Amino acid sequence: EYDAAVIATGARVDLMKVPASTQPGLVVDAVDVAMGRVKAGNRVVVIGAGKIGLTLAESLASQKHDVTIVESDRRIAGLAAA
């Protein structure tokens, strides 16, 4: 269980196109978290391991959040998998 699922797939995400969660505020935009408009909670899953997702995950981890990163692509931040 996570306190927040952060969508980190690009500059802005149309949250109206993301399936609704049963918990209000569970799915949030990476930019809103990065700008401090949304507090992420302690346990966070970052969906998207591009540069935005990784930068945000690193920032949250340095603030003592428990962060999990999920990526469907075989590449992390555009780098080939080892």
Side-chain angles (χ1 to χ4, degrees):
E1 291 186 23
Y2 293 95
D3 297 322
V6 180
I7 308 294
T9 58
R12 288 298 286 176
V13 175
D14 184 355
L15 293 176
M16 298 301 290
K17 293 183 180 181
V18 176
S21 76
T22 57
Q23 180 181 337
L26 177 67
V27 179
V28 297
D29 187 274
V31 173
D32 289 336
V33 175
M35 299 299 291
R37 293 188 287 255
V38 174
K39 185 170 174 74
N42 185 44
R43 294 176 41 98
V44 178
V45 61
V46 176
I47 302 169
K51 293 175 184 170
I52 292 171
L54 293 177
T55 300
L56 183 61
E58 182 177 33
S59 174
L60 290 170
S62 73
Q63 298 169 35
K64 308 297 185 206
H65 294 267
D66 181 9
V67 180
T68 300
I69 301 169
V70 176
E71 174 58 55
S72 64
D73 198 358
R74 297 179 73 181
R75 296 172 182 250
I76 302 293
L79 303 174

